[in-house]
Amino acid sequence: MDCIFCKIVNGEIPSKKVYEDDQVYAFHDISPLAPVHVLVIPKKHLSSVLAIGEEDVELIGRLHQAIGKVAKETGVDETGFRIISNTGTHGQQTVPHLHYHVIGGRQLEWKA
Ligand code: AMP
Ligand code: ZN
């Protein structure tokens, strides 16, 4: 499949890994918006939250658990951080493989 994040998962495209288990992969965003900007993705290709099926419920739980591990690993667990999953056109999703931005390391503003 011609998906940039699937290629990152299978090593065809290099990435700076933060966390990995059998179902989840996390890596530094190539264009960080803050001192900590990590993308957490399922290894399974799902295009967005809209593609999450009944069979993926455990995977999504694991993914959210991994977000907590990434926060601890990158040191933002105590200061706080934001999780964002841009979806579709209005959400300005640019990569059609489900991903959660984990952003922190500085005071964030809320301007949707
Ligand atoms: P979104 O715009 O919400 O779909 O997020 C896609 C994110 O992927 C953006 O923040 C990009 O900077 C990031 N990105 C794109 N290509 C790469 C790559 N090769 N390695 C790491 N991050 C990437
Ligand atoms: Zn993919």
Side-chain angles (χ1 to χ4, degrees):
M1 177 180 295
D2 194 24
C3 167
I4 185 172
F5 286 177
C6 283
K7 288 181 178 170
I8 283 177
V9 167
N10 69 28
E12 277 180 68
I13 292 175
S15 64
K16 287 163 69 182
K17 178 165 82 174
V18 177
Y19 172 83
E20 181 174 17
D21 62 33
D22 58 329
Q23 297 184 84
V24 178
Y25 190 73
F27 55 103
H28 290 284
D29 196 293
I30 204 165
S31 184
L33 300 175
V36 172
H37 188 167
V38 175
L39 299 173
V40 185
I41 70 174
K43 289 185 172 178
K44 175 182 178 181
H45 182 87
L46 295 168
S47 52
S48 77
V49 290
L50 296 169
I52 297 169
E54 201 58 45
E55 67 280 13
D56 303 313
V57 167
E58 197 208 323
L59 164 62
I60 298 305
R62 294 269 166 219
L63 192 148
H64 275 254
Q65 192 179 36
I67 289 171
K69 291 177 182 173
V70 165
K72 287 175 190 151
E73 180 68 29
T74 55
V76 297
D77 53 321
E78 293 194 356
T79 46
F81 56 95
R82 186 166 293 154
I83 305 160
I84 300 168
S85 188
N86 295 323
T87 306
T89 304
H90 282 185
Q92 296 194 311
Q93 181 179 6
T94 61
V95 178
H97 180 127
L98 178 63
H99 53 282
Y100 293 77
H101 298 259
V102 178
I103 297 171
R106 65 167 168 80
Q107 181 60 56
L108 301 172
E109 306 295 332
W110 182 243
K111 295 180 199 155

